């Protein structure tokens, strides 16, 4: 598709953003793009005059509150780190030309977490009725002081900001079970959440693959439950064991670090399902009495907690220690994906159901969750769980539902009078990839882009006004099955968190995609200043041609575009790195093969929005197709990008797989004169717990001991053109090459490539497929 030229709306947004640092900024108007702030404040009014903040501008603490002093110190440190300005902090009296912070019970913004920020020619004042509001006002001022990547003094237009959050729950869920983050890494994420005015870290601490929180009464939870033995442990870079846990002292440290930034940590201990690590540590907690290994499989595992009194004694004792560590009102108990096979097969559990007068396992889960909820209520806390907790009949009246299976759970819960938090898959699941670019990281497909996150509607339209009041807010979920390092987490979160923060904080009426994009480049520079490795896929240039026309004619029309249709694209055709001096892309252009096209997108101020991408256009390259770009065969839409090993710390390569059907389509291509096929293949670990979906996995007959890669013409039932035996997994490398001759063909044909390997063994993926003359 041809990239559209910048619209007048884009140009206006850019101009408004630039006016922030213009000395003659004297407009009298409220505008949603006057300054590069994310999230956008509820109201910004530009007034007469300007004020310059330099090294001689003090930050003055105008009250005796510890929170004000803490915010002043944080602001000073942040400005120094990102702008190179060392602003001294002092207590009153207030001198002229200062930044004043004051907790004021009479502040003009009355809503919790709200603040007022005034810039005048005489100075800057931030006031709020609570410490959180004062902190958020300081974050807004920091953004005003970092409009670009420069260091040194900043001149601000005089303005009035009146601001408060749209939602009380503005959350991010971090999964520390599937892959473990250090305390320092968790604190880095918390710091960035604070800079986005997020206020809730939902911390996923227990699951099938590990138990991550020290419970002193039950040491086996971390001695055994915190560690798993990976598949192929100790080989090919896979560790001999994987895991870790947070000591109670570390938990206290992280909780205090978050509290200082006005973020509440809500811990999650999953129950009654996702209990395999706990049962591995204490088999008596399970249903079967057997001791499983801590799981190495992603997905849905069958291990459930028992429902006897001893199990609830364990849960109560664990909760006692958890409540002492986390002061949050809410405690998350999971409740999701508890398949009931073990309960159904257990005579003891069935007897318990008869004793209780319970006739279904879903109702038994409701009873289970209600019992935990009553314990929390006795201790002054509230239960929150995933939307499966609605499936029983005994949900505590004050329980809050976190809707993840789309929005239906939230709608049902709100209509029943329960508070809800919107966290639906796939919309707000940040383990989904952000683009279809070949170089994007591992993750689930399809794409959940920056724009789709920004466009999420938090309050379902079907809810009436009274029901809508039950929507506490919104949350993104960072599941880490495919994020083995913190670099993966940061790539997944940023800059999509900018979009979510604006959805969660700013008034719905201010939601305006072009204006958001206009403000985003300044935020990307803030990431760079703090060494946050954000993903640039929203702005990366896709280099498109008609492949078959190029193969036949040796010429191509090149179209350049990015996902957001934002920024200026510059390109080269000699393989050099594009700069602002390179040709600007305004319309498709024609080239003669062979040639190398490189392209990058730039913001209006000249800063690079995304690193240059390259496409080599010659016959060999056009006949080579990456496995990540090959679609599934018809019949199954499941697609997942994975790394070579479950705990690989690199970001590449990644392979696109379908765990239900190992079948891929090579696009229709003129096959005249092509006589062979080469496939770069990879053997991967099949570490996916499928539960009841296992029956959907397609098994195909094989002719050789370890299966084949079979190539069909046109369709997956078409004539067989080649069959390449797979090597013995026990005596071959994970990456290998398959070659075969192709019978002579004429005209354009697609190819269907199918692995016939046993489905109880390894998964096989395609790195790339090359056709050769």
């Amino acid at each position: 598709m041809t990239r559209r030229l910048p619209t007048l709306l884009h140009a206006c947004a850019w101009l408004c953003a630039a006016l922030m640092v213009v000395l003659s900024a004297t407009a009298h108007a409220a505008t949603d793009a006057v300054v590069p702030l994310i999230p956008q404040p509820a109201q910004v009014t530009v007034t007469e005059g300007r004020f310059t903040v330099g090294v001689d501008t003090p930050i003055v603490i105008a009250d005796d509150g510890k929170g004000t002093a803490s915010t002043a110190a944080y602001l000073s440190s942040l400005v120094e780190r990102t702008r190179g300005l060392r602003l001294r902090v002092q207590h009153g009296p207030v001198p002229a030309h200062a930044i004043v912070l004051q907790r004021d019970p009479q502040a003009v913004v009355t809503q919790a977490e709200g603040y007022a920020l005034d810039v005048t020619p005489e100075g800057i004042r931030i006031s709020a009725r609570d410490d959180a509001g004062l902190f958020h006002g300081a974050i807004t001022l920091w953004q005003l002081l970092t409009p670009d990547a420069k260091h040194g003094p900043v001149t601000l237009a005089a303005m009035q900001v009146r601001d408060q959050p749209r939602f009380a729950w503005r959350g991010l869920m971090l999964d520390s079970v599937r892959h473990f983050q250090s305390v320092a890494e968790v604190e880095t994420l918390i710091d960035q959440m604070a800079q986005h005015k997020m206020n809730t870290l939902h911390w996923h601490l227990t699951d099938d693959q590990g138990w991550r929180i020290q419970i002193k009464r039950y040491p086996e939870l971390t001695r055994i439950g915190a560690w798993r033995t990976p598949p192929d442990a100790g080989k090919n870079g896979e560790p001999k064991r994987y895991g870790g846990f947070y000591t109670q002292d570390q938990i206290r440290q992280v909780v205090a670090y978050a509290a200082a930034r006005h973020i509440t940590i809500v811990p999650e201990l999953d129950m009654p399902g996702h209990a395999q690590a706990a049962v591995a540590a204490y088999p008596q907690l399970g249903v079967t009495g057997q001791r499983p290994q801590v799981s190495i499989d992603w997905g849905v595992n069958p291990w459930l907690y028992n429902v006897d009194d001893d199990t609830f004694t364990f849960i109560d004792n664990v909760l006692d220690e958890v409540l002492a560590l986390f002061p949050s009102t809410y405690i998350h108990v999971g409740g999701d994906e508890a398949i009931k096979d073990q309960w159904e097969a257990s005579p003891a559990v069935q007897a318990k159901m008869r004793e209780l007068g319970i006739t279904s396992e879903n109702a038994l889960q409701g009873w289970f969750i209600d019992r935990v909820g009553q314990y929390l209520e006795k201790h002054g806390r509230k239960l929150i769980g995933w939307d499966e907790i609605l499936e029983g009949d005994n949900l505590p009246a004050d329980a809050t539902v976190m809707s993840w299976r789309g929005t239906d759970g939230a709608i049902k819960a709100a209509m029943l009078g329960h508070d809800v938090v919107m966290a639906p898959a796939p919309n707000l699941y940040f383990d989904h990839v952000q683009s279809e670019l070949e170089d994007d990281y591992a993750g689930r497909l399809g794409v959940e882009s920056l724009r789709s996150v920004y466009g999420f509607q938090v309050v379902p339209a079907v809810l009436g006004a009274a029901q809508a009041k039950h929507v506490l807010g919104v949350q993104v979920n960072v599941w880490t099955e495919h994020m083995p390092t913190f670099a993966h987490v940061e790539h997944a979160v940023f800059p999509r968190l900018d979009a979510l923060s604006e959805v969660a904080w700013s008034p719905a009426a201010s939601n305006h995609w072009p204006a958001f994009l206009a403000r985003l480049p300044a935020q990307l520079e803030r990431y760079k200043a703090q060494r946050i490795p954000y993903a640039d896929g929203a702005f990366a240039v896709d280099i498109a041609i008609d492949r078959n026309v190029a193969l036949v004619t040796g010429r191509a029309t090149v179209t350049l575009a990015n996902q957001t249709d934002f920024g200026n694209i510059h390109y080269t055709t000699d393989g050099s790195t594009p700069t602002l001096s390179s040709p600007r892309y305004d319309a498709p252009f024609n080239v003669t093969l062979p040639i190398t096209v490189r392209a990058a997108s730039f913001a209006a101020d000249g800063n690079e929005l995304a690193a240059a991408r390259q496409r080599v256009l010659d016959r060999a390259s056009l006949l080579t197709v990456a496995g990540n770009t090959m679609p599934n065969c018809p019949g199954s839409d499941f697609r997942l990008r994975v790394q070579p090993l479950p705990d690989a710390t690199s970001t590449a390569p990644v392979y696109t797989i379908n765990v239900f059907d190992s079948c891929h389509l090579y696009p229709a291509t003129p096959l005249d004169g092509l006589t062979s096929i080469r496939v770069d293949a990879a053997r991967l670990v099949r570490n996916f717990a499928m539960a009841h979906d296992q029956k959907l996995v397609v098994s195909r007959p094989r002719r050789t001991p370890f299966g084949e890669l079979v190539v069909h013409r046109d369709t997956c039932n078409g004539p067989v053109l080649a069959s390449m035996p797979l090597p013995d997994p026990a005596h071959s490398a994970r990456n290998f090459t398959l070659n075969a001759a192709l019978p002579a063909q004429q005209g354009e044909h697609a190819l269907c490539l199918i692995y016939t390997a046993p489905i109880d063994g390894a998964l096989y993926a395609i790195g790339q497929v090359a056709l050769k003359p």
Side-chain angles (χ1 to χ4, degrees):
M1 180 178 69
T2 301
R3 176 182 176 271
R4 297 190 302 273
L5 296 177
T7 63
L8 180 62
L9 192 58
H10 278 81
C12 177
W14 275 108
L15 178 61
C16 291
L19 283 176
M20 182 266 185
V21 291
V22 175
L23 298 184
S24 59
T26 57
H28 295 273
T31 172
D32 66 348
V34 67
V35 287
L37 300 174
I38 295 176
Q40 180 72 357
Q43 180 183 351
V44 180
T45 305
V46 177
T47 59
E48 295 279 358
R50 59 189 183 270
F51 180 74
T52 298
V53 176
V55 292
D56 57 347
T57 307
I59 300 174
V60 179
I61 301 167
D63 63 59
D64 297 327
K66 292 182 180 179
T68 306
S70 176
T71 292
Y74 183 82
L75 175 62
S76 175
S77 173
L78 190 55
V79 171
E80 182 175 358
R81 282 190 284 126
T82 56
R83 189 70 186 186
L85 281 174
R86 181 173 294 180
L87 306 180
R88 71 182 184 278
V89 177
Q90 64 188 54
H91 285 78
V94 178
H97 308 298
I99 298 168
V100 180
L101 304 182
Q102 184 176 24
R103 171 90 177 265
D104 181 1
Q106 302 303 316
V108 295
V109 179
T110 61
Q111 182 176 325
E113 300 188 82
Y115 65 92
L117 187 158
D118 294 284
V119 180
T120 70
E122 290 72 40
I124 300 172
R125 176 177 289 272
I126 304 173
S127 62
R129 297 197 177 199
D130 57 29
D131 287 336
L134 200 67
F135 183 86
H136 298 321
I139 293 298
T140 296
L141 177 57
W142 165 67
Q143 291 190 7
L144 290 173
L145 296 176
T146 52
D148 50 42
K150 299 176 182 177
H151 277 202
V154 186
T155 297
L156 307 181
M159 68 184 73
Q160 292 180 340
V161 179
R162 302 293 181 263
D163 197 16
Q164 64 280 322
R166 181 184 177 199
F167 292 108
W169 187 298
R170 305 180 302 281
L172 180 149
M173 188 227 68
L174 176 64
D175 171 13
S176 293
V177 174
R178 277 50 177 258
H179 284 103
F180 182 72
Q181 304 86 33
S182 70
V183 167
E185 290 167 342
V186 176
E187 290 178 346
T188 294
L189 185 61
I190 288 170
D191 209 35
Q192 287 301 314
M193 289 177 63
Q195 293 175 28
H196 290 77
K197 299 187 175 72
M198 308 296 285
N199 68 352
T200 306
L201 174 63
H202 168 183
W203 203 359
H204 188 76
L205 291 169
T206 74
D207 212 302
D208 298 310
Q209 297 81 14
W211 184 284
R212 302 283 177 239
I213 177 173
Q214 179 189 26
I215 302 297
K216 293 183 177 180
R217 186 160 182 164
Y218 299 105
E220 299 296 276
L221 289 173
T222 46
R223 191 184 74 83
I224 294 176
W227 306 94
R228 62 179 185 257
T229 301
D232 290 349
K235 300 177 182 178
N236 301 304
E238 190 78 347
K240 290 186 177 181
R241 71 171 188 163
Y242 184 92
F245 63 93
Y246 304 102
T247 68
Q248 293 198 358
D249 285 343
Q250 289 175 322
I251 293 284
R252 292 186 188 96
Q253 174 186 329
V254 174
V255 168
Y257 190 91
R261 289 150 181 79
H262 301 279
I263 291 173
T264 298
I265 298 183
V266 174
E268 179 183 353
L269 280 68
D270 219 334
M271 58 185 82
H274 288 292
Q276 187 165 336
V279 178
Y282 293 99
Q284 65 271 27
L285 298 174
V287 179
T288 67
Q290 299 174 343
R291 184 194 296 271
Q293 298 295 312
V294 176
S295 180
I296 61 171
D297 294 331
W298 317 138
V300 182
N301 289 271
W303 295 87
L304 302 176
Y305 280 112
N306 205 340
V307 292
D308 60 17
D309 290 342
D310 289 343
T311 298
F312 284 102
T313 298
F314 164 83
I315 291 172
D316 294 347
N317 290 337
V318 168
L319 287 173
D320 287 343
E321 295 192 35
V322 169
L323 299 183
L325 294 169
F326 295 94
S328 57
T329 299
Y330 292 95
I331 303 296
H332 205 297
V333 300
D336 62 311
E337 296 181 326
I339 58 171
K340 309 302 192 297
D341 297 9
Q342 291 185 348
W343 281 357
E344 291 171 358
S346 167
V349 171
Q350 294 300 310
K352 183 71 172 182
M353 290 172 60
R354 290 192 293 271
E355 175 188 333
L356 296 171
I358 291 174
T359 57
S360 75
E361 285 73 22
N362 281 346
L364 181 63
Q365 176 168 324
W367 171 83
F368 187 110
I369 295 296
D370 178 59
R371 182 160 176 173
V372 176
Q374 290 180 33
Y375 191 82
L376 292 173
E377 184 178 11
K378 290 177 183 177
H379 290 78
R381 307 299 183 94
K382 291 184 178 181
L383 179 147
I384 185 169
W386 301 108
D387 55 55
E388 284 97 329
I389 65 175
L390 287 165
E391 294 174 356
D393 300 324
N394 303 308
L395 189 62
D398 66 346
T400 297
V401 174
M402 188 168 279
S403 186
W404 77 274
R405 295 178 298 178
T407 59
D408 289 348
I411 294 168
K412 177 181 178 181
M415 289 181 172
L416 291 173
H418 293 284
D419 288 342
V420 300
V421 174
M422 303 296 294
N427 314 72
L428 300 182
Y429 267 46
F430 277 12
D431 55 334
H432 277 253
V433 298
Q434 302 170 71
S435 75
E436 292 183 334
L437 294 170
E438 187 182 342
D439 61 2
D440 208 346
Y441 288 14
R444 296 176 185 270
L445 292 160
V447 171
E448 294 302 324
S449 68
L450 181 69
R451 182 166 192 167
S452 67
V453 174
Y454 192 78
F456 179 71
Q457 300 299 310
V458 180
V459 179
V462 299
L463 296 181
Q467 295 162 340
K469 291 180 180 179
H470 285 293
V471 180
L472 300 182
V474 62
Q475 170 177 294
V476 297
N477 298 319
V478 185
W479 299 106
T480 61
E481 287 95 333
H482 310 295
M483 300 182 201
T485 71
F486 190 61
H488 289 82
V489 171
E490 291 177 304
H491 179 91
V493 171
F494 307 111
R496 288 189 289 189
L497 191 64
D498 294 282
L500 190 278
S501 72
E502 189 142 307
V503 170
W505 178 279
S506 304
S510 71
N511 186 288
H512 189 234
W513 173 243
F516 169 76
L517 287 177
R519 288 178 273 114
L520 190 57
Q523 177 60 31
L524 300 183
E525 295 304 315
R526 296 180 191 116
Y527 287 143
K528 293 175 185 176
Q530 298 176 81
R531 299 183 179 179
I532 301 297
Y534 65 89
D536 68 357
F539 307 103
V541 179
D542 179 55
I543 303 168
I545 64 167
D546 187 315
R547 173 173 163 272
N548 286 351
V549 168
L551 283 169
V552 171
T553 67
R555 297 180 60 84
T557 299
V558 178
T559 300
L560 305 179
N562 65 28
Q563 189 186 76
T564 56
D565 193 26
F566 182 77
N568 298 313
I569 295 176
H570 292 264
Y571 68 94
T572 64
T573 56
D574 59 2
S576 62
T577 301
T579 68
L580 290 173
S581 300
S582 304
R584 171 175 162 163
Y585 177 77
D586 292 311
F589 57 93
N590 296 321
V591 297
T592 299
L593 278 57
I595 199 168
T596 297
V597 179
R598 300 191 75 191
S601 59
F602 297 84
D605 61 4
N607 285 317
E608 193 176 65
L609 289 170
R613 270 33 178 208
Q614 172 178 298
R615 186 167 184 184
V616 176
L617 300 178
D618 59 27
R619 186 167 177 80
S621 298
L622 294 176
L623 290 172
T624 302
V625 175
N628 289 334
T629 66
M630 294 171 61
N632 291 0
C633 299
S636 175
D637 295 331
F638 184 89
R639 287 171 65 80
L640 182 65
R641 282 189 175 185
V642 299
Q643 295 192 268
L645 290 165
D647 307 309
T649 57
S650 60
T651 59
V654 295
Y655 299 97
T656 299
I657 61 170
N658 178 357
V659 298
F660 295 100
D661 191 1
S662 294
C663 183
H664 313 268
L665 293 176
Y666 184 97
T669 301
L671 297 184
D672 305 77
L674 300 177
T675 60
S676 66
I677 184 171
R678 171 192 169 104
V679 179
D680 293 337
R683 186 173 58 253
L684 309 175
V685 174
R686 192 187 292 269
N687 66 320
F688 298 91
M690 309 293 287
H692 297 162
D693 287 339
Q694 181 63 38
K695 63 181 179 293
L696 302 178
V697 179
V698 176
S699 176
R700 291 185 171 87
R702 63 187 187 276
R703 296 183 177 181
T704 57
F706 311 109
E708 306 83 32
L709 179 58
V710 182
V711 182
H712 296 261
R713 192 185 70 192
D714 295 323
T715 71
C716 298
N717 294 317
V720 174
L721 301 184
S723 181
M724 296 167 274
L726 299 177
D728 181 355
H731 301 97
S732 60
R734 287 189 171 276
N735 293 87
F736 54 92
T737 300
L738 300 172
N739 291 280
L742 293 176
Q745 304 292 317
Q746 293 182 339
E748 285 189 12
H749 296 280
L751 301 177
C752 174
L753 285 74
I754 302 175
Y755 282 114
T756 64
I759 62 173
D760 59 353
L763 277 165
Y764 287 87
I766 292 175
Q768 64 179 22
V769 179
L771 302 183
K772 297 182 178 296

